[in-house]
Amino acid sequence: MKFNFSSYLDFMRPSEIRELAKYATSKDIISFGGGMPNPATFPKDRLKEIMVDVLDRDGDAALQYGNTAGLNSLREELVGFLKRTEGIDCAPEDIIITSGSQQALYAIGKLLCNPGDGVITEDPTYVGAISAFNANAIRMHGVPMDGQGVVVDVLEEKVRSLVSKGKAPRFIYLIPNFQNPTGRTLTEKRRQEVIRIASEYGIPVVEDNPYGELRYSGERVRSIRSLDGSVIYLGTFSKVMTPGLRLGYIVAPREVTEKVNLLKQALDLATNSFSQYVATEYIRRGIIYEQIRFNVELYRKRRDAMVRALREEMGDMADFSVPDGGMFIWVTLNNSVDTSRMLIDAIKAGVTYVSGQAFAPNGGHEHSMRLNFTFPSEEKIYEGVRRLRSVILSRAQEAVS
Ligand SMILES: Cc1ncc(COP(=O)(O)O)c(C=O)c1O
């Protein structure tokens, strides 16, 4: 049998991250590669209690198909959670529960773009967003970032130029808090500017905020959605409960959630009912707030360890900024070493990372890499950075000789 695949496949490429995931579990390899929460943060005992209660009390419904928009009680709990954490005002009907925020990214791309349409992204941006947009044959127009997040002057210029060519971008996709992969946070001033540009040119903003609750230093910055009710906001339980239960959500104007609802009827009918019952209790019992505090304490130490290790081992070889939260540090080498080509040497030396190119919507970032600090222990972080230093040095020497 010859299978004739669709031309959407032309846009899809395998993810280096998925390939690397297998090394994350190998004992001798220190993985800075995954985007994985530390399993020590999984609240297993509390979840066990909740799961037993859910099965005893609501078992028939929790094991049954559910509403496409999501469990009403979970959407009600989320209203309170979003108000308390992000200052977002919304009603349960403004929320649709998704199978992780990854599904939300795919759905939003599919619903707002025709094949060949363009969107604005940060450059670099989340590799899973690149996959979701590629799968819908969407072009990405990356806008560079600096220490304050995406550079809004360049963003406005890009929007203006695309609009003048009759190719208005269909939305602006941003990860304003502790961005994946750079760890940078968009300042409030720039958030306000993004809102102005979006409203002036009539272009929706998609705000993806998986890391917002994982802040280790600095002041909280208000979410873009809390400043403008027309923003499409994406949230997830992956970093504050567990990623394995695959729960995310979209907060958006009703005309958007209604269309997502239609698409979900084709994608999966509804999100996992059992996970939604569990998440409802997880918020209702206040465990989510305890867990966030626990995760922040654990991850702050890991971030500090990685920053110290990088300063000590790579101070002269690389640039990086200290993220106020999230899971990643973006390191750019001062020499001409290509991090993608270096990866195989790094794996042989017992350390992994994701090379910058994986996050490039339009190419580039050959000398950068994303390091995850939430998965390895502090000891492993030091050892991993030391291994990385020696791999970089030997690569740099090869380049010279
Ligand atoms: C920026 C960003 N968006 C979305 C996701 C997807 O998360 P999930 O599908 O687990 O909710 C991730 C996961 O790492 C992410 O970093």
Side-chain angles (χ1 to χ4, degrees), residues 67-71 75 78 91-100 103-104 107-108 233-235 248-252 256-265 271 276:
N67 288 343
T68 305
L71 188 66
R75 294 190 293 156
L78 276 171
E93 300 73 38
D94 302 325
I95 301 176
I96 183 156
I97 309 293
T98 55
S99 173
Q103 184 182 53
I108 294 299
Y233 179 92
L234 312 185
Y249 47 92
I250 303 176
V251 184
V256 177
T257 52
E258 280 165 11
K259 302 291 186 301
V260 177
N261 192 315
L262 266 182
L263 179 60
K264 257 185 86 72
Q265 290 171 37
T271 304
Q276 294 186 71

PDB file of all heavy atoms in Angstrom, residues 67-71 75 78 91-100 103-104 107-108 233-235 248-252 256-265 271 276:
ATOM      1  N   ASN A  67     -18.910  17.202  29.102  1.00  0.00           N
ATOM      2  CA  ASN A  67     -19.211  18.336  28.202  1.00  0.00           C
ATOM      3  C   ASN A  67     -17.991  18.692  27.382  1.00  0.00           C
ATOM      4  O   ASN A  67     -16.884  18.691  27.910  1.00  0.00           O
ATOM      5  CB  ASN A  67     -19.459  19.624  29.005  1.00  0.00           C
ATOM      6  CG  ASN A  67     -20.754  19.594  29.718  1.00  0.00           C
ATOM      7  OD1 ASN A  67     -21.609  18.779  29.399  1.00  0.00           O
ATOM      8  ND2 ASN A  67     -20.882  20.481  30.699  1.00  0.00           N
ATOM      9  N   THR A  68     -18.212  19.118  26.156  1.00  0.00           N
ATOM     10  CA  THR A  68     -17.073  19.529  25.324  1.00  0.00           C
ATOM     11  C   THR A  68     -16.377  20.753  25.923  1.00  0.00           C
ATOM     12  O   THR A  68     -15.148  20.843  25.923  1.00  0.00           O
ATOM     13  CB  THR A  68     -17.550  19.822  23.889  1.00  0.00           C
ATOM     14  OG1 THR A  68     -18.241  18.665  23.409  1.00  0.00           O
ATOM     15  CG2 THR A  68     -16.384  20.122  22.975  1.00  0.00           C
ATOM     16  N   ALA A  69     -17.149  21.676  26.468  1.00  0.00           N
ATOM     17  CA  ALA A  69     -16.534  22.904  27.014  1.00  0.00           C
ATOM     18  C   ALA A  69     -15.773  22.621  28.302  1.00  0.00           C
ATOM     19  O   ALA A  69     -14.883  23.394  28.676  1.00  0.00           O
ATOM     20  CB  ALA A  69     -17.601  23.957  27.275  1.00  0.00           C
ATOM     21  N   GLY A  70     -16.102  21.536  28.964  1.00  0.00           N
ATOM     22  CA  GLY A  70     -15.426  21.203  30.213  1.00  0.00           C
ATOM     23  C   GLY A  70     -16.384  21.140  31.379  1.00  0.00           C
ATOM     24  O   GLY A  70     -17.525  21.625  31.309  1.00  0.00           O
ATOM     25  N   LEU A  71     -15.925  20.552  32.461  1.00  0.00           N
ATOM     26  CA  LEU A  71     -16.742  20.350  33.659  1.00  0.00           C
ATOM     27  C   LEU A  71     -17.115  21.718  34.269  1.00  0.00           C
ATOM     28  O   LEU A  71     -16.226  22.545  34.504  1.00  0.00           O
ATOM     29  CB  LEU A  71     -15.902  19.544  34.649  1.00  0.00           C
ATOM     30  CG  LEU A  71     -16.572  19.040  35.909  1.00  0.00           C
ATOM     31  CD1 LEU A  71     -17.651  18.008  35.573  1.00  0.00           C
ATOM     32  CD2 LEU A  71     -15.511  18.408  36.828  1.00  0.00           C
ATOM     33  N   ARG A  75     -14.693  24.830  35.814  1.00  0.00           N
ATOM     34  CA  ARG A  75     -14.663  26.188  35.245  1.00  0.00           C
ATOM     35  C   ARG A  75     -15.007  27.219  36.327  1.00  0.00           C
ATOM     36  O   ARG A  75     -14.434  28.298  36.370  1.00  0.00           O
ATOM     37  CB  ARG A  75     -15.581  26.273  34.026  1.00  0.00           C
ATOM     38  CG  ARG A  75     -15.020  25.371  32.897  1.00  0.00           C
ATOM     39  CD  ARG A  75     -15.712  25.561  31.583  1.00  0.00           C
ATOM     40  NE  ARG A  75     -17.079  25.116  31.603  1.00  0.00           N
ATOM     41  CZ  ARG A  75     -18.023  25.560  30.791  1.00  0.00           C
ATOM     42  NH1 ARG A  75     -17.748  26.488  29.897  1.00  0.00           N
ATOM     43  NH2 ARG A  75     -19.236  25.082  30.852  1.00  0.00           N
ATOM     44  N   LEU A  78     -11.953  27.632  38.449  1.00  0.00           N
ATOM     45  CA  LEU A  78     -10.911  28.381  37.730  1.00  0.00           C
ATOM     46  C   LEU A  78     -11.172  29.881  37.760  1.00  0.00           C
ATOM     47  O   LEU A  78     -10.225  30.677  37.789  1.00  0.00           O
ATOM     48  CB  LEU A  78     -10.807  27.886  36.278  1.00  0.00           C
ATOM     49  CG  LEU A  78      -9.931  26.657  36.076  1.00  0.00           C
ATOM     50  CD1 LEU A  78     -10.066  26.112  34.645  1.00  0.00           C
ATOM     51  CD2 LEU A  78      -8.451  26.958  36.369  1.00  0.00           C
ATOM     52  N   ALA A  91     -16.063  34.731  33.473  1.00  0.00           N
ATOM     53  CA  ALA A  91     -17.171  33.879  33.925  1.00  0.00           C
ATOM     54  C   ALA A  91     -16.869  32.449  33.478  1.00  0.00           C
ATOM     55  O   ALA A  91     -16.074  32.243  32.557  1.00  0.00           O
ATOM     56  CB  ALA A  91     -18.459  34.364  33.274  1.00  0.00           C
ATOM     57  N   PRO A  92     -17.511  31.451  34.099  1.00  0.00           N
ATOM     58  CA  PRO A  92     -17.254  30.061  33.688  1.00  0.00           C
ATOM     59  C   PRO A  92     -17.467  29.858  32.185  1.00  0.00           C
ATOM     60  O   PRO A  92     -16.751  29.095  31.541  1.00  0.00           O
ATOM     61  CB  PRO A  92     -18.267  29.253  34.503  1.00  0.00           C
ATOM     62  CG  PRO A  92     -18.599  30.108  35.674  1.00  0.00           C
ATOM     63  CD  PRO A  92     -18.448  31.531  35.243  1.00  0.00           C
ATOM     64  N   GLU A  93     -18.425  30.598  31.615  1.00  0.00           N
ATOM     65  CA  GLU A  93     -18.725  30.419  30.185  1.00  0.00           C
ATOM     66  C   GLU A  93     -17.616  30.962  29.285  1.00  0.00           C
ATOM     67  O   GLU A  93     -17.615  30.710  28.073  1.00  0.00           O
ATOM     68  CB  GLU A  93     -20.038  31.131  29.793  1.00  0.00           C
ATOM     69  CG  GLU A  93     -21.276  30.659  30.524  1.00  0.00           C
ATOM     70  CD  GLU A  93     -21.326  31.124  31.979  1.00  0.00           C
ATOM     71  OE1 GLU A  93     -20.912  32.274  32.238  1.00  0.00           O
ATOM     72  OE2 GLU A  93     -21.746  30.330  32.845  1.00  0.00           O
ATOM     73  N   ASP A  94     -16.698  31.751  29.859  1.00  0.00           N
ATOM     74  CA  ASP A  94     -15.577  32.272  29.049  1.00  0.00           C
ATOM     75  C   ASP A  94     -14.426  31.267  28.989  1.00  0.00           C
ATOM     76  O   ASP A  94     -13.387  31.547  28.374  1.00  0.00           O
ATOM     77  CB  ASP A  94     -15.013  33.565  29.661  1.00  0.00           C
ATOM     78  CG  ASP A  94     -16.064  34.643  29.800  1.00  0.00           C
ATOM     79  OD1 ASP A  94     -16.944  34.708  28.921  1.00  0.00           O
ATOM     80  OD2 ASP A  94     -16.021  35.407  30.793  1.00  0.00           O
ATOM     81  N   ILE A  95     -14.604  30.139  29.688  1.00  0.00           N
ATOM     82  CA  ILE A  95     -13.497  29.178  29.803  1.00  0.00           C
ATOM     83  C   ILE A  95     -13.850  27.898  29.050  1.00  0.00           C
ATOM     84  O   ILE A  95     -14.986  27.413  29.140  1.00  0.00           O
ATOM     85  CB  ILE A  95     -13.229  28.827  31.291  1.00  0.00           C
ATOM     86  CG1 ILE A  95     -12.888  30.093  32.076  1.00  0.00           C
ATOM     87  CG2 ILE A  95     -12.122  27.786  31.422  1.00  0.00           C
ATOM     88  CD1 ILE A  95     -12.698  29.864  33.572  1.00  0.00           C
ATOM     89  N   ILE A  96     -12.882  27.365  28.341  1.00  0.00           N
ATOM     90  CA  ILE A  96     -13.052  26.030  27.755  1.00  0.00           C
ATOM     91  C   ILE A  96     -11.848  25.197  28.174  1.00  0.00           C
ATOM     92  O   ILE A  96     -10.706  25.658  28.125  1.00  0.00           O
ATOM     93  CB  ILE A  96     -13.260  26.080  26.228  1.00  0.00           C
ATOM     94  CG1 ILE A  96     -13.509  24.693  25.657  1.00  0.00           C
ATOM     95  CG2 ILE A  96     -12.137  26.750  25.481  1.00  0.00           C
ATOM     96  CD1 ILE A  96     -14.266  24.707  24.338  1.00  0.00           C
ATOM     97  N   ILE A  97     -12.115  24.005  28.668  1.00  0.00           N
ATOM     98  CA  ILE A  97     -11.033  23.140  29.170  1.00  0.00           C
ATOM     99  C   ILE A  97     -10.465  22.346  27.996  1.00  0.00           C
ATOM    100  O   ILE A  97     -11.216  21.818  27.165  1.00  0.00           O
ATOM    101  CB  ILE A  97     -11.568  22.149  30.244  1.00  0.00           C
ATOM    102  CG1 ILE A  97     -12.356  22.884  31.343  1.00  0.00           C
ATOM    103  CG2 ILE A  97     -10.429  21.321  30.833  1.00  0.00           C
ATOM    104  CD1 ILE A  97     -11.568  23.808  32.223  1.00  0.00           C
ATOM    105  N   THR A  98      -9.140  22.279  27.946  1.00  0.00           N
ATOM    106  CA  THR A  98      -8.485  21.593  26.823  1.00  0.00           C
ATOM    107  C   THR A  98      -7.560  20.488  27.349  1.00  0.00           C
ATOM    108  O   THR A  98      -7.234  20.451  28.532  1.00  0.00           O
ATOM    109  CB  THR A  98      -7.650  22.593  25.999  1.00  0.00           C
ATOM    110  OG1 THR A  98      -6.727  23.252  26.870  1.00  0.00           O
ATOM    111  CG2 THR A  98      -8.535  23.616  25.314  1.00  0.00           C
ATOM    112  N   SER A  99      -7.136  19.667  26.425  1.00  0.00           N
ATOM    113  CA  SER A  99      -6.198  18.600  26.777  1.00  0.00           C
ATOM    114  C   SER A  99      -4.793  19.204  26.758  1.00  0.00           C
ATOM    115  O   SER A  99      -4.083  19.135  25.750  1.00  0.00           O
ATOM    116  CB  SER A  99      -6.355  17.470  25.757  1.00  0.00           C
ATOM    117  OG  SER A  99      -5.359  16.523  25.983  1.00  0.00           O
ATOM    118  N   GLY A 100      -4.438  19.857  27.843  1.00  0.00           N
ATOM    119  CA  GLY A 100      -3.177  20.615  27.912  1.00  0.00           C
ATOM    120  C   GLY A 100      -3.318  21.904  27.112  1.00  0.00           C
ATOM    121  O   GLY A 100      -4.232  22.033  26.277  1.00  0.00           O
ATOM    122  N   GLN A 103      -3.066  21.553  23.155  1.00  0.00           N
ATOM    123  CA  GLN A 103      -4.246  21.423  22.301  1.00  0.00           C
ATOM    124  C   GLN A 103      -4.842  22.795  21.995  1.00  0.00           C
ATOM    125  O   GLN A 103      -5.320  23.060  20.890  1.00  0.00           O
ATOM    126  CB  GLN A 103      -5.309  20.539  22.971  1.00  0.00           C
ATOM    127  CG  GLN A 103      -6.506  20.301  22.074  1.00  0.00           C
ATOM    128  CD  GLN A 103      -7.582  19.469  22.736  1.00  0.00           C
ATOM    129  OE1 GLN A 103      -8.042  19.776  23.836  1.00  0.00           O
ATOM    130  NE2 GLN A 103      -7.983  18.399  22.075  1.00  0.00           N
ATOM    131  N   ALA A 104      -4.777  23.681  22.981  1.00  0.00           N
ATOM    132  CA  ALA A 104      -5.305  25.037  22.780  1.00  0.00           C
ATOM    133  C   ALA A 104      -4.523  25.748  21.677  1.00  0.00           C
ATOM    134  O   ALA A 104      -5.110  26.437  20.830  1.00  0.00           O
ATOM    135  CB  ALA A 104      -5.222  25.810  24.087  1.00  0.00           C
ATOM    136  N   ALA A 107      -5.617  24.392  18.389  1.00  0.00           N
ATOM    137  CA  ALA A 107      -6.987  24.809  18.072  1.00  0.00           C
ATOM    138  C   ALA A 107      -7.027  26.278  17.641  1.00  0.00           C
ATOM    139  O   ALA A 107      -7.675  26.629  16.651  1.00  0.00           O
ATOM    140  CB  ALA A 107      -7.890  24.579  19.287  1.00  0.00           C
ATOM    141  N   ILE A 108      -6.328  27.119  18.376  1.00  0.00           N
ATOM    142  CA  ILE A 108      -6.351  28.556  18.058  1.00  0.00           C
ATOM    143  C   ILE A 108      -5.727  28.789  16.678  1.00  0.00           C
ATOM    144  O   ILE A 108      -6.244  29.560  15.867  1.00  0.00           O
ATOM    145  CB  ILE A 108      -5.599  29.363  19.150  1.00  0.00           C
ATOM    146  CG1 ILE A 108      -6.350  29.275  20.490  1.00  0.00           C
ATOM    147  CG2 ILE A 108      -5.393  30.813  18.753  1.00  0.00           C
ATOM    148  CD1 ILE A 108      -7.759  29.842  20.489  1.00  0.00           C
ATOM    149  N   TYR A 233      -6.432  33.904  26.409  1.00  0.00           N
ATOM    150  CA  TYR A 233      -5.469  33.519  27.454  1.00  0.00           C
ATOM    151  C   TYR A 233      -5.405  32.002  27.541  1.00  0.00           C
ATOM    152  O   TYR A 233      -6.440  31.323  27.604  1.00  0.00           O
ATOM    153  CB  TYR A 233      -5.942  34.114  28.787  1.00  0.00           C
ATOM    154  CG  TYR A 233      -5.067  33.773  29.971  1.00  0.00           C
ATOM    155  CD1 TYR A 233      -4.025  34.607  30.345  1.00  0.00           C
ATOM    156  CD2 TYR A 233      -5.313  32.618  30.729  1.00  0.00           C
ATOM    157  CE1 TYR A 233      -3.219  34.304  31.443  1.00  0.00           C
ATOM    158  CE2 TYR A 233      -4.513  32.311  31.828  1.00  0.00           C
ATOM    159  CZ  TYR A 233      -3.473  33.155  32.174  1.00  0.00           C
ATOM    160  OH  TYR A 233      -2.687  32.850  33.263  1.00  0.00           O
ATOM    161  N   LEU A 234      -4.184  31.459  27.577  1.00  0.00           N
ATOM    162  CA  LEU A 234      -4.012  30.004  27.701  1.00  0.00           C
ATOM    163  C   LEU A 234      -3.356  29.675  29.042  1.00  0.00           C
ATOM    164  O   LEU A 234      -2.319  30.258  29.386  1.00  0.00           O
ATOM    165  CB  LEU A 234      -3.126  29.455  26.578  1.00  0.00           C
ATOM    166  CG  LEU A 234      -3.418  29.885  25.140  1.00  0.00           C
ATOM    167  CD1 LEU A 234      -2.510  29.121  24.174  1.00  0.00           C
ATOM    168  CD2 LEU A 234      -4.874  29.658  24.766  1.00  0.00           C
ATOM    169  N   GLY A 235      -3.968  28.762  29.772  1.00  0.00           N
ATOM    170  CA  GLY A 235      -3.408  28.329  31.056  1.00  0.00           C
ATOM    171  C   GLY A 235      -3.291  26.810  31.084  1.00  0.00           C
ATOM    172  O   GLY A 235      -3.805  26.109  30.201  1.00  0.00           O
ATOM    173  N   GLY A 248      -5.477  21.720  30.386  1.00  0.00           N
ATOM    174  CA  GLY A 248      -5.217  23.134  30.150  1.00  0.00           C
ATOM    175  C   GLY A 248      -6.543  23.850  29.961  1.00  0.00           C
ATOM    176  O   GLY A 248      -7.611  23.226  30.091  1.00  0.00           O
ATOM    177  N   TYR A 249      -6.492  25.138  29.678  1.00  0.00           N
ATOM    178  CA  TYR A 249      -7.751  25.870  29.470  1.00  0.00           C
ATOM    179  C   TYR A 249      -7.505  27.137  28.673  1.00  0.00           C
ATOM    180  O   TYR A 249      -6.382  27.657  28.614  1.00  0.00           O
ATOM    181  CB  TYR A 249      -8.432  26.199  30.811  1.00  0.00           C
ATOM    182  CG  TYR A 249      -7.514  26.786  31.855  1.00  0.00           C
ATOM    183  CD1 TYR A 249      -7.359  28.153  31.993  1.00  0.00           C
ATOM    184  CD2 TYR A 249      -6.764  25.948  32.695  1.00  0.00           C
ATOM    185  CE1 TYR A 249      -6.496  28.688  32.941  1.00  0.00           C
ATOM    186  CE2 TYR A 249      -5.894  26.474  33.642  1.00  0.00           C
ATOM    187  CZ  TYR A 249      -5.774  27.843  33.753  1.00  0.00           C
ATOM    188  OH  TYR A 249      -4.909  28.370  34.686  1.00  0.00           O
ATOM    189  N   ILE A 250      -8.587  27.570  28.041  1.00  0.00           N
ATOM    190  CA  ILE A 250      -8.567  28.825  27.288  1.00  0.00           C
ATOM    191  C   ILE A 250      -9.578  29.755  27.941  1.00  0.00           C
ATOM    192  O   ILE A 250     -10.690  29.331  28.253  1.00  0.00           O
ATOM    193  CB  ILE A 250      -9.016  28.599  25.819  1.00  0.00           C
ATOM    194  CG1 ILE A 250      -8.132  27.547  25.148  1.00  0.00           C
ATOM    195  CG2 ILE A 250      -9.025  29.914  25.042  1.00  0.00           C
ATOM    196  CD1 ILE A 250      -8.579  27.187  23.723  1.00  0.00           C
ATOM    197  N   VAL A 251      -9.177  31.003  28.163  1.00  0.00           N
ATOM    198  CA  VAL A 251     -10.137  32.039  28.573  1.00  0.00           C
ATOM    199  C   VAL A 251     -10.203  32.996  27.384  1.00  0.00           C
ATOM    200  O   VAL A 251      -9.176  33.523  26.952  1.00  0.00           O
ATOM    201  CB  VAL A 251      -9.650  32.817  29.812  1.00  0.00           C
ATOM    202  CG1 VAL A 251     -10.724  33.818  30.259  1.00  0.00           C
ATOM    203  CG2 VAL A 251      -9.280  31.871  30.938  1.00  0.00           C
ATOM    204  N   ALA A 252     -11.393  33.180  26.853  1.00  0.00           N
ATOM    205  CA  ALA A 252     -11.485  33.997  25.636  1.00  0.00           C
ATOM    206  C   ALA A 252     -12.900  34.537  25.471  1.00  0.00           C
ATOM    207  O   ALA A 252     -13.837  34.038  26.100  1.00  0.00           O
ATOM    208  CB  ALA A 252     -11.114  33.138  24.427  1.00  0.00           C
ATOM    209  N   VAL A 256     -14.960  33.061  20.457  1.00  0.00           N
ATOM    210  CA  VAL A 256     -13.787  32.186  20.271  1.00  0.00           C
ATOM    211  C   VAL A 256     -14.037  30.831  20.946  1.00  0.00           C
ATOM    212  O   VAL A 256     -13.830  29.774  20.334  1.00  0.00           O
ATOM    213  CB  VAL A 256     -12.506  32.849  20.833  1.00  0.00           C
ATOM    214  CG1 VAL A 256     -11.310  31.903  20.714  1.00  0.00           C
ATOM    215  CG2 VAL A 256     -12.220  34.168  20.125  1.00  0.00           C
ATOM    216  N   THR A 257     -14.503  30.864  22.199  1.00  0.00           N
ATOM    217  CA  THR A 257     -14.692  29.573  22.894  1.00  0.00           C
ATOM    218  C   THR A 257     -15.739  28.711  22.167  1.00  0.00           C
ATOM    219  O   THR A 257     -15.606  27.492  22.110  1.00  0.00           O
ATOM    220  CB  THR A 257     -15.098  29.765  24.377  1.00  0.00           C
ATOM    221  OG1 THR A 257     -16.213  30.628  24.440  1.00  0.00           O
ATOM    222  CG2 THR A 257     -13.972  30.305  25.213  1.00  0.00           C
ATOM    223  N   GLU A 258     -16.738  29.360  21.572  1.00  0.00           N
ATOM    224  CA  GLU A 258     -17.747  28.582  20.828  1.00  0.00           C
ATOM    225  C   GLU A 258     -17.119  27.836  19.652  1.00  0.00           C
ATOM    226  O   GLU A 258     -17.451  26.692  19.369  1.00  0.00           O
ATOM    227  CB  GLU A 258     -18.845  29.521  20.281  1.00  0.00           C
ATOM    228  CG  GLU A 258     -19.876  29.904  21.311  1.00  0.00           C
ATOM    229  CD  GLU A 258     -20.719  31.100  20.869  1.00  0.00           C
ATOM    230  OE1 GLU A 258     -20.647  31.500  19.686  1.00  0.00           O
ATOM    231  OE2 GLU A 258     -21.430  31.644  21.739  1.00  0.00           O
ATOM    232  N   LYS A 259     -16.177  28.512  18.982  1.00  0.00           N
ATOM    233  CA  LYS A 259     -15.523  27.866  17.821  1.00  0.00           C
ATOM    234  C   LYS A 259     -14.578  26.761  18.308  1.00  0.00           C
ATOM    235  O   LYS A 259     -14.465  25.712  17.679  1.00  0.00           O
ATOM    236  CB  LYS A 259     -14.723  28.884  17.001  1.00  0.00           C
ATOM    237  CG  LYS A 259     -15.515  30.059  16.477  1.00  0.00           C
ATOM    238  CD  LYS A 259     -16.492  29.655  15.392  1.00  0.00           C
ATOM    239  CE  LYS A 259     -17.187  30.845  14.764  1.00  0.00           C
ATOM    240  NZ  LYS A 259     -17.954  31.670  15.733  1.00  0.00           N
ATOM    241  N   VAL A 260     -13.911  26.999  19.429  1.00  0.00           N
ATOM    242  CA  VAL A 260     -13.033  25.949  19.964  1.00  0.00           C
ATOM    243  C   VAL A 260     -13.893  24.727  20.317  1.00  0.00           C
ATOM    244  O   VAL A 260     -13.515  23.578  20.063  1.00  0.00           O
ATOM    245  CB  VAL A 260     -12.237  26.432  21.202  1.00  0.00           C
ATOM    246  CG1 VAL A 260     -11.395  25.303  21.783  1.00  0.00           C
ATOM    247  CG2 VAL A 260     -11.352  27.624  20.858  1.00  0.00           C
ATOM    248  N   ASN A 261     -15.059  25.007  20.868  1.00  0.00           N
ATOM    249  CA  ASN A 261     -15.981  23.936  21.216  1.00  0.00           C
ATOM    250  C   ASN A 261     -16.303  23.087  19.978  1.00  0.00           C
ATOM    251  O   ASN A 261     -16.245  21.853  20.015  1.00  0.00           O
ATOM    252  CB  ASN A 261     -17.247  24.572  21.813  1.00  0.00           C
ATOM    253  CG  ASN A 261     -18.137  23.550  22.479  1.00  0.00           C
ATOM    254  OD1 ASN A 261     -18.367  22.489  21.915  1.00  0.00           O
ATOM    255  ND2 ASN A 261     -18.625  23.862  23.677  1.00  0.00           N
ATOM    256  N   LEU A 262     -16.596  23.760  18.868  1.00  0.00           N
ATOM    257  CA  LEU A 262     -16.903  23.042  17.617  1.00  0.00           C
ATOM    258  C   LEU A 262     -15.729  22.157  17.189  1.00  0.00           C
ATOM    259  O   LEU A 262     -15.908  21.004  16.825  1.00  0.00           O
ATOM    260  CB  LEU A 262     -17.126  24.061  16.488  1.00  0.00           C
ATOM    261  CG  LEU A 262     -18.522  24.530  16.176  1.00  0.00           C
ATOM    262  CD1 LEU A 262     -18.488  25.495  14.996  1.00  0.00           C
ATOM    263  CD2 LEU A 262     -19.402  23.324  15.839  1.00  0.00           C
ATOM    264  N   LEU A 263     -14.525  22.751  17.255  1.00  0.00           N
ATOM    265  CA  LEU A 263     -13.336  22.004  16.824  1.00  0.00           C
ATOM    266  C   LEU A 263     -13.068  20.819  17.749  1.00  0.00           C
ATOM    267  O   LEU A 263     -12.725  19.726  17.295  1.00  0.00           O
ATOM    268  CB  LEU A 263     -12.119  22.940  16.772  1.00  0.00           C
ATOM    269  CG  LEU A 263     -10.805  22.292  16.355  1.00  0.00           C
ATOM    270  CD1 LEU A 263     -10.895  21.672  14.962  1.00  0.00           C
ATOM    271  CD2 LEU A 263      -9.661  23.313  16.377  1.00  0.00           C
ATOM    272  N   LYS A 264     -13.253  21.042  19.052  1.00  0.00           N
ATOM    273  CA  LYS A 264     -13.000  19.940  20.005  1.00  0.00           C
ATOM    274  C   LYS A 264     -13.943  18.761  19.772  1.00  0.00           C
ATOM    275  O   LYS A 264     -13.589  17.617  20.023  1.00  0.00           O
ATOM    276  CB  LYS A 264     -13.142  20.450  21.451  1.00  0.00           C
ATOM    277  CG  LYS A 264     -11.792  20.677  22.126  1.00  0.00           C
ATOM    278  CD  LYS A 264     -11.918  21.066  23.583  1.00  0.00           C
ATOM    279  CE  LYS A 264     -12.020  19.876  24.509  1.00  0.00           C
ATOM    280  NZ  LYS A 264     -10.759  19.122  24.662  1.00  0.00           N
ATOM    281  N   GLN A 265     -15.132  19.059  19.253  1.00  0.00           N
ATOM    282  CA  GLN A 265     -16.049  17.948  18.956  1.00  0.00           C
ATOM    283  C   GLN A 265     -15.441  17.034  17.890  1.00  0.00           C
ATOM    284  O   GLN A 265     -15.741  15.850  17.837  1.00  0.00           O
ATOM    285  CB  GLN A 265     -17.401  18.502  18.506  1.00  0.00           C
ATOM    286  CG  GLN A 265     -18.141  19.166  19.658  1.00  0.00           C
ATOM    287  CD  GLN A 265     -19.377  19.910  19.223  1.00  0.00           C
ATOM    288  OE1 GLN A 265     -20.082  19.478  18.324  1.00  0.00           O
ATOM    289  NE2 GLN A 265     -19.643  21.043  19.856  1.00  0.00           N
ATOM    290  N   THR A 271     -12.460  16.879  26.997  1.00  0.00           N
ATOM    291  CA  THR A 271     -11.230  16.611  27.749  1.00  0.00           C
ATOM    292  C   THR A 271     -11.515  15.533  28.802  1.00  0.00           C
ATOM    293  O   THR A 271     -12.661  15.394  29.257  1.00  0.00           O
ATOM    294  CB  THR A 271     -10.754  17.929  28.405  1.00  0.00           C
ATOM    295  OG1 THR A 271     -10.602  18.903  27.376  1.00  0.00           O
ATOM    296  CG2 THR A 271      -9.430  17.764  29.126  1.00  0.00           C
ATOM    297  N   GLN A 276     -10.529  16.225  35.164  1.00  0.00           N
ATOM    298  CA  GLN A 276     -11.229  17.474  35.499  1.00  0.00           C
ATOM    299  C   GLN A 276     -11.861  17.411  36.884  1.00  0.00           C
ATOM    300  O   GLN A 276     -11.852  18.390  37.623  1.00  0.00           O
ATOM    301  CB  GLN A 276     -12.294  17.768  34.451  1.00  0.00           C
ATOM    302  CG  GLN A 276     -11.712  18.075  33.082  1.00  0.00           C
ATOM    303  CD  GLN A 276     -12.779  18.499  32.107  1.00  0.00           C
ATOM    304  OE1 GLN A 276     -13.324  19.584  32.220  1.00  0.00           O
ATOM    305  NE2 GLN A 276     -13.098  17.637  31.162  1.00  0.00           N
TER     306      GLN A 276
END
